[in-house]
Amino acid sequence: MATVLTVDDSPSVRQLVRIVLEGAGYTVLEAENGQDGLAKAKATPPDLVITDLNMPVMNGLDFIRALRATPAVLGVPIVFLTTESNDALKQEAKAAGATGWITKPFKPEQVLAAAAKLVRK
């Protein structure tokens, strides 16, 4: 089954994403910031990354830039799951390598639809 890495400094958001995805049969890895996420992605390359933007230690933009420079995870889809909805930020994220964007609060179906669309099973 496909593995999804969820990177968010909020334990409740990580838990909700995990419950939604595991319920659909995905394996979920959790990280609490970009630095943690980068280490986990290198150790166990995921099939999809869902990340927050605003996090301590390493924010989402720096995280995806670092992830895109990591050969083991080249081409892995990355979706931002964030409260931000600014078009300039969306463009910056796309330029950094983001594949998609979901704005919080979100519906579980949005996460499932993104995973189904982006993950090769």
Side-chain angles (χ1 to χ4, degrees), residues 8-10 13 51-55 80-86 89-90 101-106:
D8 200 303
D9 58 322
S10 167
V13 171
T51 184
D52 191 12
L53 177 60
N54 300 309
M55 297 179 287
F80 266 112
L81 178 62
T82 180
T83 57
E84 303 289 343
S85 59
N86 178 300
L89 271 174
K90 288 180 183 180
W101 192 282
I102 299 172
T103 305
K104 294 177 191 173
F106 64 95

Side-chain angles (χ1 to χ4, degrees), residues 2 7 12 34 56 63 66 69 72 75-76 78 83 99 101 117 120-121:
V7 185
S12 60
F63 166 63
V76 171
I78 303 171
T83 57
T99 311
W101 192 282
K117 180 179 178 184
R120 288 167 284 193
K121 292 189 176 182

Side-chain angles (χ1 to χ4, degrees), residues 8-19:
D8 200 303
D9 58 322
S10 167
S12 60
V13 171
R14 289 195 314 268
Q15 180 183 29
L16 179 57
V17 171
R18 180 176 39 81
I19 289 168

